[in-house]
Amino acid sequence: QAEERAAAKKAQAKLRGAAMANLRVALLLLVGLSCVAGLLPGAAPARGAAAGQQRAGSVTMAGAAALAKKTTVLEGVKENMDGSALMFCVRSEGLRVNELNDLRMKLPEGVRLQCVKNTLVNIAAKDFEQFNAEGLDGLLHYSNYWFFATEAGMRDSIKVWKTFTEESGRKESGEIVGGIFDAQVLDGKGVEAVSKLPTKQELMGKTALLLKALPTKLARSLNEAGAVRIARGLEQARGQKMVRAVKAASEKLP
């Protein structure tokens, strides 16, 4: 029995030794696979570099997308400025989207309303003679909605905005901040005054009426002047005859 126990112990020892050997082989295989897969600290720098490159690529793509968006908005602002004679701004605070949509529907043809960042307004204005004004920076504060009005739409665009502020209870908060006309920066009152100026078409119409009425007025003036000269001549003639008659009578007296 003692010999059997000794033999059993030897067999168990061999089994444990084989198991430990297999375990060491398995551990070595795991270490090798971990290095290949980048799971150990030794592989971390390579993985970190790849992640950094990926983040850098994402930032570059985001920057390019933001730049493209700003370029598109800038071109839209320039398109609104082109053909406009007056641009003026109001504060955007408190204005709701549905109200603005209704307001846009009431604006005259050719008048545009747009919320634009101050930096983009400053950049775009430099390309247009009528809006490249000194002191523009004085208007570029806070968030603003800008009206871009043609000459024919200046007056009505002011009327539409004033009606909107009165009906919506924003008469004080909705005052016009200022604007630009003919390369001059204007305050709110100046914008309203400019909007009341006659347009080129109105001036041309008045000039045409004056030219049309000129021949009639001229003929009337000439006729009146001729009648006055004739009357004056008759009076002078009568006066001269009276003088001669008096002189002749006085000569006949003793």
Side-chain angles (χ1 to χ4, degrees), residues 107-166:
L107 289 174
E109 184 178 359
V111 178
R112 299 289 181 267
L113 174 62
Q114 185 179 7
C115 185
V116 188
K117 289 186 177 181
N118 295 324
T119 52
L120 296 182
V121 172
N122 194 27
I123 294 172
K126 297 183 185 302
D127 291 344
F128 296 89
E129 183 178 357
Q130 70 271 33
F131 298 133
N132 188 15
E134 292 185 7
L136 174 59
D137 294 342
L139 299 177
L140 304 180
H141 299 288
Y142 307 105
S143 177
N144 301 305
Y145 270 95
W146 285 88
F147 290 77
F148 302 91
T150 59
E151 184 180 11
M154 293 192 303
R155 192 178 306 160
D156 289 339
S157 62
I158 300 292
K159 289 181 180 179
V160 169
W161 174 250
K162 291 178 73 68
T163 301
F164 168 77
T165 57
E166 291 173 359

Side-chain angles (χ1 to χ4, degrees), residues 15 35 47 50 64 72 83 87 115 123 151 167 175 180 190 204 251:
L15 290 174
C35 290
R47 185 180 63 178
T72 301
M87 54 182 286
C115 185
I123 294 172
E151 184 180 11
E167 293 179 348
E175 291 184 353
I180 312 171
M204 290 175 63
E251 289 176 352

Side-chain angles (χ1 to χ4, degrees), residues 5-78:
R5 290 195 201 94
K9 288 182 179 179
K10 289 181 179 180
Q12 290 177 354
K14 288 182 179 180
L15 290 174
R16 284 197 295 272
M20 291 297 295
N22 291 334
L23 181 60
R24 285 194 292 271
V25 172
L27 287 174
L28 289 173
L29 288 173
L30 285 174
V31 169
L33 291 173
S34 298
C35 290
V36 172
L39 296 176
L40 291 179
R47 185 180 63 178
Q53 291 177 356
Q54 185 176 4
R55 285 195 297 270
S58 300
V59 171
T60 302
M61 292 178 64
L67 180 60
K69 184 178 180 180
K70 286 184 178 180
T71 302
T72 301
V73 174
L74 180 61
E75 292 302 320
V77 175
K78 289 183 178 182

